[in-house]
């Protein structure tokens, strides 16, 4: 063997070490194969898991906060979607799990395309990925020899099974199953109450996935459409496919009772909508029934472990009689269980966006802190 | 290129030099009819009586009060949109006519200059860097002008302007670079929040038309329109060939530079206010040429009016036909390409092509 200069040796080490690190999990898995566990994921694929999952990567955006919720910490979260970082920095999640801020977010792009080398460097025992967005984002992970757990999107009710599957994968099936059961029961209860709303009393509500640069509403096949219908309201956009651009006139022709604002566009507040002169003759604007979705450990508009509370909130703002339970108390109770966190009053105000929504119809009365 | 050129410049000789002023008055009347029809059309059912009330109330007719919703729809939705469609349509159509003269090629259109790609890049960059709606307009306009300057610089300034092949290549290079830039921005943009908006904006839409956008488009596009109109005889001479134009005393390089500057300004402003709307500059001049003749005495006036009518009609379909807001660029291509194919068949059937 030729003699290496010290500099060349350092270089060789620098190249060689990560390569060994990347190969290590492959070797580890060969040993574990004998005792592999099998679970069936949401697209019906059989996933073989090592006896203990020590490192898990979440490419689907809600899975990162869901893993923190099920596992009670960030120790096993080995990688996440770059969009999940936003949940940590802008939402409460980062304050509840400061360790999660150090989790790498280079394992995939925001549109879920995996970066296989970064994935291998994260040495995961399991990767959570969407299963209904084409094989192209799943196959490279499987081809790299990593087990993939695939989830489906489209209706908030699907998120109950996410809890169940993540619980099983992390070896916390009992907690995952209980959280899933509570999730399913809450959604079934809300759906039952929704069905009981008489046809004449159903308000119409439109969710804006985008309002500032264009008007994009949630139609058929979106979780927001299923949520609006679940709580007993009507979605006039429900006949349109997916997230669809419309114009102001179409919105005026629908003239919905309630406008629901997304958690994605910066600066989108009920006040900004109230100030838009094009929208001023809308019934919802005249009656100030414009509400921005809250944001807790996750955004409340898309599905997550927090969907039961999000749906209670939605039920509350759509029902002329207001919410059917004390959402602030429910938040304190649930956050203790989900995240082991005791919410302060200002934190609750922040989640429910009391400042932004405070000017909307009866919001402070329904969701604000009781004074005195 | 050279074999096709005479087909255009000497195209249907039937009605002499671009028809009589009568054709122009006819188009003006058609434009007014189109505007009234477009004011009546929309997703919100507005009875013509409400429309009349709104317009009478605007004129200060005593004792008439328009319903609030109707007034809002007319003033804040339909009127700005129709006005912007008219201005952008007129601008793009006259740009196409000017490009076809400058390059002596019937396939020339405003996008050839690379300015729309530059403006598109500026727009998506603005969208990525700021959520404020003004960022799109400012970015698109700034980069549109920047790419125009780049094309002029690449084509070698005053001297180089005399060879159209250099200009085409410069436009191609600038367009390609900024098109790649658009792809890059789309790749790194936030796909949950920014990417869908970018994709929709790039397909072109007048859905967000308002008075502010009119104030951006009109002061740029209308003077540019007038500039091209002033150049109409020089452009006619240019379309005969550089040598012929020079022998007629036309300053070839200067005419070309001025016309392209006007085209660049119009393109940048139109992309800034409504994204990329293709095919208008290609289809409308040919339609006018076929129907009314190509002489530049009235030709550019006819093209301007026809462009306004065309885009108002297309945009009215885009906003009123379905509950979904159809992207304008999709509609202009969907209608424009078959129209162009039909023209092509007619030209071939007429035996003009050799």
């Amino acid at each position: 063997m030729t003699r290496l200069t010290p500099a060349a040796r350092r270089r060789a080490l620098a190249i060689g070490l990560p390569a060994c690190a990347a190969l290590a999990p492959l070797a580890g898995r060969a040993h574990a194969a004998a005792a592999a566990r099998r679970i069936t994921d949401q697209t019906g694929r059989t996933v073989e898991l090592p006896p203990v999952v020590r490192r898990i990567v979440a490419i689907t955006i809600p899975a990162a906060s869901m893993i923190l919720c099920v596992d009670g910490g960030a120790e096993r979260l080995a990688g996440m979607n770059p969009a999940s970082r936003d949940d940590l920095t802008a939402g409460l999640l980062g304050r509840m799990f400061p360790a999660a801020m150090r989790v790498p977010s280079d394992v995939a792009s925001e549109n879920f395309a995996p970066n296989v080398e970064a994935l291998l460097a994260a040495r995961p025992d399991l990767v959570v990925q969407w299963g209904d967005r084409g094989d192209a984002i799943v196959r490279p992970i499987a081809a790299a020899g990593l087990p993939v757990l695939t989830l489906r999107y489209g209706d908030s009710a699907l998120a109950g099974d996410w809890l169940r599957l993540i619980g099983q994968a992390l070896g916390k099936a009992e907690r995952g199953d209980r959280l899933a059961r509570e999730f399913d029961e809450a959604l079934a209860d809300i759906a039952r109450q929704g069905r009981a709303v008489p046809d004449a009393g159903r308000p119409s509500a439109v969710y804006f996935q985008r309002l500032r640069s264009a008007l994009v509403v949630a139609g058929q096949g979106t979780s927001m459409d299923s949520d609006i219908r679940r709580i007993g309201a009507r979605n006039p956009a429900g006949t349109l496919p997916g997230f669809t651009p419309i114009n102001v006139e179409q919105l005026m022709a629908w003239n919905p009772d309630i406008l629901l604002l997304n958690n994605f566009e910066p600066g989108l507040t009920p006040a900004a909508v109230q100030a838009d002169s094009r929208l001023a003759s809308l019934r919802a604007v005249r009656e100030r029934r414009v509400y921005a979705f809250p944001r807790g450990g996750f955004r409340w508009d898309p599905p997550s472990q927090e969907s039961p509370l999000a749906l209670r909130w939605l039920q509350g703002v759509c029902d002329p009689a207001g919410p059917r339970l004390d959402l602030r108390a429910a938040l304190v109770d649930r956050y203790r269980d989900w995240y082991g966190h005791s919410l302060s009053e200002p934190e609750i105000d922040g989640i429910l966006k009391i400042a932004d929504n405070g000017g909307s119809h009866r919001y402070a009365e329904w969701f604000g802190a009781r004074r005195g | 290129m050279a074999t096709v050129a005479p087909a255009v410049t000497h195209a249907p000789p039937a009605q002499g030099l671009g028809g009589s002023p009568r054709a122009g008055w006819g188009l003006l009347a058609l434009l007014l009819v189109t505007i009234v029809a477009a004011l009546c059309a929309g997703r919100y059912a507005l009875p013509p009586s409400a429309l009349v009330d709104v317009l009478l109330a605007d004129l200060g007719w005593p004792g008439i009060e328009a319903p609030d919703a109707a007034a809002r729809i007319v003033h804040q939705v339909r009127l700005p949109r129709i006005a912007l469609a008219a201005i952008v349509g007129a601008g793009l159509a006259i740009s196409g006519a000017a490009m076809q003269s400058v390059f002596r090629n019937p396939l020339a259109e405003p996008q050839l200059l690379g300015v729309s790609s530059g403006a598109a890049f500026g727009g998506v960059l603005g969208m990525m860097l700021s959520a404020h709606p003004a960022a799109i307009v400012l970015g698109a306009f700034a980069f549109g002008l920047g790419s125009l300057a780049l094309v002029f610089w690449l084509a070698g300034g005053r001297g180089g302007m005399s060879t159209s092949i250099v200009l085409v290549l410069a436009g191609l290079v600038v367009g390609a670079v900024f098109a790649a830039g658009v792809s890059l921005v789309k790749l790194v943009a936030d796909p949950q929040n920014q990417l869908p908006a970018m994709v929709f904006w790039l397909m072109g839409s007048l859905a967000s038309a308002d008075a502010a956008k009119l104030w951006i488009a009109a002061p740029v596009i209308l003077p540019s329109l007038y500039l091209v109109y002033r150049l109409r005889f020089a452009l006619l001479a240019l379309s005969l060939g550089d040598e012929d134009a020079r022998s007629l005393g036309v300053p070839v390089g200067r005419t070309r530079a001025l016309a392209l500057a006007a085209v660049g300004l119009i393109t940048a402003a139109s992309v800034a206010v409504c994204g990329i709307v293709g095919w208008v500059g290609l289809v409308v001049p040919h339609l006018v040429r076929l129907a009314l003749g190509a002489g530049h005495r009235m030709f550019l006036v006819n093209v301007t009016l026809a462009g306004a009518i065309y885009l108002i009609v297309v945009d009215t379909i885009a906003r009123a036909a379905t509950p979904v807001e159809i992207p304008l660029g999709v509609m202009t291509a969907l209608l424009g390409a078959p129209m162009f194919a039909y023209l092509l068949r007619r030209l071939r059937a007429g035996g003009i092509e050799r």
Side-chain angles (χ1 to χ4, degrees):
Chain A
M1 193 178 148
T2 52
R3 190 184 282 270
L4 289 174
T5 64
R9 206 174 300 140
R10 272 199 304 277
R11 256 201 315 279
L13 276 173
I15 296 164
L17 277 180
C20 294
L23 287 171
L26 296 174
R29 236 188 333 280
H31 283 291
R37 298 177 295 146
R38 285 197 172 84
I39 59 175
T40 305
D41 69 11
Q42 239 176 348
T43 54
R45 298 161 69 259
T46 304
V47 187
E48 291 205 8
L49 295 175
V52 180
V53 170
R54 289 197 179 81
R55 299 175 64 82
I56 183 168
V57 163
I59 298 182
T60 70
I61 301 167
S65 81
M66 195 172 267
I67 288 165
L68 299 176
C69 164
V70 172
D71 208 25
E75 291 72 29
R76 291 203 266 181
L77 186 60
M80 61 186 175
N81 193 298
S84 296
R85 186 161 293 282
D86 196 41
D87 293 318
L88 293 169
T89 52
L92 254 185
L93 205 60
R95 225 177 315 152
M96 297 189 291
F97 300 98
M101 300 291 277
R102 289 191 297 273
V103 174
S105 57
D106 59 347
V107 291
S109 67
E110 286 195 39
N111 56 10
F112 312 109
N115 178 338
V116 174
E117 296 200 15
L119 260 181
L120 285 171
R123 294 177 286 115
D125 301 315
L126 178 65
V127 179
V128 183
Q129 175 65 296
W130 292 122
D132 52 3
R133 289 175 182 246
D135 196 36
I137 58 170
V138 178
R139 204 178 339 104
I141 310 172
L146 299 173
V148 194
L149 181 80
T150 61
L151 305 178
R152 285 198 300 135
Y153 187 80
D155 187 310
S156 301
L158 289 166
D161 267 340
W162 302 351
L163 285 163
R164 209 166 270 125
L165 287 168
I166 288 173
Q168 286 173 16
L170 292 172
K172 294 199 169 177
E174 206 175 306
R175 177 165 164 84
D177 286 353
R178 176 178 64 80
L179 290 172
R181 203 167 50 245
E182 288 168 2
F183 182 102
D184 292 344
E185 280 165 9
L187 259 66
D189 187 43
I190 290 163
R192 209 165 25 246
Q193 291 171 353
R195 282 193 295 275
V197 177
D199 273 352
R202 289 179 188 269
S204 58
V206 171
Y207 171 81
F208 291 91
Q209 191 226 18
R210 177 158 287 277
L211 196 143
R212 298 192 77 189
S213 63
L215 296 175
V216 181
V217 296
Q220 209 168 27
T222 63
S223 66
M224 296 79 183
D225 175 57
S226 71
D227 288 343
I228 290 170
R229 287 185 288 111
R230 183 173 283 116
I231 57 120
R234 289 182 299 110
N235 178 15
T239 53
L240 306 180
F243 292 113
T244 305
I246 61 160
N247 54 46
V248 177
E249 269 193 55
Q250 182 60 60
L251 186 60
M252 290 175 84
W254 285 336
N255 204 9
D257 298 308
I258 296 141
L259 306 184
L260 300 166
L261 310 185
N262 68 67
N263 247 318
F264 295 95
E265 283 178 284
L268 178 64
T269 59
V273 174
Q274 294 287 152
D276 189 335
S277 65
R278 294 176 308 159
L279 307 175
S281 64
L282 287 174
R283 184 184 301 128
V285 172
R286 284 202 315 269
E287 296 177 0
R288 307 188 78 82
R289 294 179 81 183
V290 181
Y291 303 99
F293 262 96
R295 177 172 199 170
F298 199 71
R299 298 173 166 105
W300 277 17
D301 21 358
S304 73
Q305 64 278 5
E306 300 196 15
S307 289
L309 290 184
L311 283 160
R312 288 291 177 199
W313 174 87
L314 185 61
Q315 192 185 36
V317 297
C318 289
D319 189 339
R324 301 177 192 212
L325 84 172
D326 182 350
L327 201 62
R328 297 180 74 94
L331 267 167
V332 171
D333 175 60
R334 295 289 74 215
Y335 269 51
R336 200 165 284 142
D337 179 24
W338 288 340
Y339 310 116
H341 180 80
S342 297
L343 282 173
S344 68
E345 288 290 306
E347 282 173 344
I348 300 174
D349 286 348
I351 292 173
L352 294 173
K353 297 193 180 166
I354 300 295
D356 284 349
N357 285 331
S360 298
H361 177 70
R362 296 184 76 178
Y363 197 84
E365 174 196 339
W366 286 342
F367 299 105
R370 300 270 178 278
R371 302 264 176 260
Chain B
M1 205 180 280
T3 53
V4 194
V8 178
T9 48
H10 306 300
Q15 300 180 37
L17 276 177
S20 64
R22 261 213 320 273
W25 287 113
L27 279 173
L28 190 62
L30 188 58
L31 176 62
L32 293 176
V33 171
T34 310
I35 289 172
V36 171
L39 270 176
C40 293
R43 298 304 300 171
Y44 189 93
L46 205 61
S49 63
L51 189 69
V52 172
D53 280 355
V54 171
L55 296 179
L56 286 181
D58 287 347
L59 294 173
W61 204 273
I64 290 205
E65 201 158 323
D68 182 52
R72 263 176 219 287
I73 284 196
V74 172
H75 293 149
Q76 302 196 20
V77 180
R78 292 187 190 169
L79 268 180
R81 219 172 146 157
I82 291 167
L84 203 57
I87 291 174
V88 169
L92 291 178
I94 207 170
S95 297
M99 291 291 282
Q100 285 149 24
S101 291
V102 166
F103 289 101
R104 283 195 294 283
N105 188 314
L107 291 176
E109 54 143 357
Q111 292 191 9
L112 198 66
L113 215 49
V115 174
S116 54
S117 294
F121 174 74
V124 293
L125 193 69
M127 274 169 141
M128 193 173 73
L129 298 180
S130 163
H132 200 280
I136 302 172
V137 177
L138 286 177
F141 198 59
F143 274 84
L145 294 187
S147 57
L148 180 68
L150 209 57
V151 169
F152 274 27
W153 177 76
L154 276 177
R158 201 169 280 269
M161 281 300 155
S162 53
T163 55
S164 53
I165 192 79
V166 177
L167 267 168
V168 172
L169 288 175
L172 202 71
V173 167
V174 170
V177 168
F178 282 117
V182 168
S183 298
L184 192 68
V185 171
K186 278 161 78 178
L187 190 72
V188 297
D190 168 3
Q192 312 305 318
N193 183 19
Q194 297 171 328
L195 188 61
M198 284 178 188
V199 170
F200 188 71
W201 181 76
L202 285 171
M203 289 193 283
S205 173
L206 283 161
S208 61
D210 55 15
K213 290 204 166 154
L214 266 176
W215 275 111
I216 292 161
V220 178
I221 293 182
L222 295 180
S224 305
L225 273 177
Y226 182 66
L227 175 60
V228 176
Y229 177 71
R230 285 295 300 271
L231 292 171
R232 63 197 181 281
F233 294 115
L235 283 172
L236 178 62
L238 213 58
S239 66
L240 299 171
D242 288 1
E243 291 309 311
D244 290 350
R246 269 195 206 95
S247 69
L248 288 168
V250 170
V252 170
R254 190 168 144 264
T255 303
R256 192 169 269 151
L258 279 176
L260 293 182
V263 169
L265 282 168
I266 291 171
T267 312
S270 74
V271 174
V273 294
C274 65
I276 293 184
V277 177
W279 287 92
V280 178
L282 197 56
V283 171
V284 173
H286 285 293
L287 273 179
V288 171
R289 212 171 265 134
L290 199 73
L292 303 169
H296 271 224
R297 192 157 63 93
M298 285 302 290
F299 177 62
L300 287 180
V301 176
N302 293 345
V303 165
T304 307
L305 292 170
I309 295 168
Y310 180 75
L311 207 59
I312 293 174
V313 170
V314 172
D315 182 55
T316 304
I317 298 172
R319 71 181 161 88
T322 68
V324 178
E325 169 78 33
I326 307 170
L328 193 56
V330 173
M331 288 294 298
T332 50
L334 216 56
L335 292 176
M339 255 188 232
F340 196 68
Y342 168 76
L343 285 178
L344 219 58
R345 290 296 302 176
R346 276 202 56 174
L347 284 175
R348 285 170 62 93
I352 298 167
E353 190 207 49
R354 53 191 84 178

